[in-house]
Amino acid sequence: MKFNYIGLGTHSGIVNGGSGSGGSSTIGSKMSLGKSIKMYLTIFIATTCIYMVLYQYHISREPFAAGEVVKPPLYIITPTYRRPEQLAELTRLGYTLKHVVNLLWLVIEDANHTNPLVAHTLDRIGVPYEYMVAPMPEKYKQTKRAKPRGVSNRNRGLEYLRHHANEGVLYFADDDNTYDISIFEQMRYISKVGMWPVGLVTKTGVSSPIIQEGKLVGYYDGWIGGRKYPVDMAGFAVSVKFLKERPNAQMPFKPGYEEDGFLRSLAPLDNTDIELLADECRDILTWHTQTKKNAPAQALNRTRYKNTNLEHIDKLLVRP
């Protein structure tokens, strides 16, 4: 049995190589072939990975997927001013707007200089924005009567659009209101002017166009005040093209008549030019909510709370 085992081994060596050195050469050739296959496989995998990375980068640089319909842009003009609730209200509105595509948020503050806290908040939210300032003219600041708040801000926004936009729709969205995001998709396709109801306005509880048999026949509001267009600021939007065809259109510094004055400045504007949104004004998708006014935060006792987290938090509080 031992002989047969040795003979089997010798026979096997002759068949595989014919000699001891020939067998080593064959084994070396196989190892070399294996290394070559492994090298080419590695190169193939690496090339594939690089291609996929470059492809994903290219896709990420494309604003819209191929074949996708590009929606008309929205320009949301938001006047704001320094107060304890400012950052909270901008945050709430900003995260609503974050659900809306192809939008530019024009945040315009009634101030002489931009506020780093506001800029930081806008950066953190991540909605595309332009942050500007437009202080109220001094003559209106000094008056003891009602002040035309937000007018200089909104007119600054209109000026920006006249220089930087050619299409799309503009909308005045105050930072203390509440919005159903579906209204943004509806207003996006306005050709001239669109209107819809706004809830929580005056004693009537709503401000709305009156629609009869599909036609605009009047307005329902708790205060008409001789206005041709007694509507709330949150209840209408305007086509950028329609605005630019009226270079003198702007908002007047007249408290209580800002909306009416602006819409009048868009003349000629017929009732048939006004598109009725929110299910032909049978639904409420915006509300004139108002945040509870808060007193300015008291000064921090820096001696008592030195080297604590309160020193950092205090820097985030907006004081008039």
Side-chain angles (χ1 to χ4, degrees), residues 9 59 81 117 165 187 219 249 262 310:
I59 292 298
Y81 65 98
L117 286 176
M187 73 173 71
Y219 296 92
F262 174 66
L310 298 183

Side-chain angles (χ1 to χ4, degrees), residues 71-84:
K71 294 183 177 182
L74 291 177
Y75 298 95
I76 308 301
I77 299 175
T78 297
T80 188
Y81 65 98
R82 191 179 184 92
R83 63 198 190 279

Side-chain angles (χ1 to χ4, degrees), residues 84-93 121 175:
E85 306 82 20
Q86 183 181 27
L87 300 184
E89 294 188 323
L90 286 173
T91 298
R92 180 177 56 193
L93 174 57
T121 299
D175 57 10

Side-chain angles (χ1 to χ4, degrees), residues 117-135:
L117 286 176
V118 172
H120 173 71
T121 299
L122 298 178
D123 285 334
R124 182 169 59 185
I125 294 170
V127 172
Y129 74 89
E130 291 286 345
Y131 177 31
M132 298 169 275
V133 295

Side-chain angles (χ1 to χ4, degrees), residues 274-293:
I274 298 174
E275 300 169 46
L276 309 173
L277 307 188
D279 191 20
E280 292 191 340
C281 297
R282 289 178 290 192
D283 198 0
I284 298 177
L285 299 176
T286 59
W287 294 265
H288 191 80
T289 49
Q290 296 181 8
T291 303
K292 169 184 170 293
K293 299 297 182 183

Side-chain angles (χ1 to χ4, degrees), residues 35-51:
K35 289 181 179 179
S36 297
I37 293 174
K38 184 178 182 180
M39 179 184 68
Y40 285 119
L41 184 60
T42 301
I43 293 173
F44 173 77
I45 294 173
T47 303
T48 302
C49 291
I50 292 172
Y51 172 80

Side-chain angles (χ1 to χ4, degrees), residues 199-217:
L200 301 178
V201 177
T202 69
K203 62 185 179 182
T204 59
V206 66
S207 174
S208 175
I210 301 173
I211 313 303
Q212 191 172 40
E213 297 181 354
K215 296 181 179 180
L216 172 61
V217 297

Side-chain angles (χ1 to χ4, degrees), residues 64 70-78 93-107 125-130 169 171 173 181 183-185 187-188:
F64 297 96
V70 179
K71 294 183 177 182
L74 291 177
Y75 298 95
I76 308 301
I77 299 175
T78 297
L93 174 57
Y95 280 101
T96 296
L97 299 180
K98 200 165 185 176
H99 293 279
V100 185
V101 301
N102 201 15
L103 173 149
L104 180 62
W105 191 14
L106 304 179
V107 180
I125 294 170
V127 172
Y129 74 89
E130 291 286 345
V169 167
Y171 178 55
I181 61 172
I183 193 62
F184 295 105
E185 293 307 314
M187 73 173 71
R188 193 187 294 277

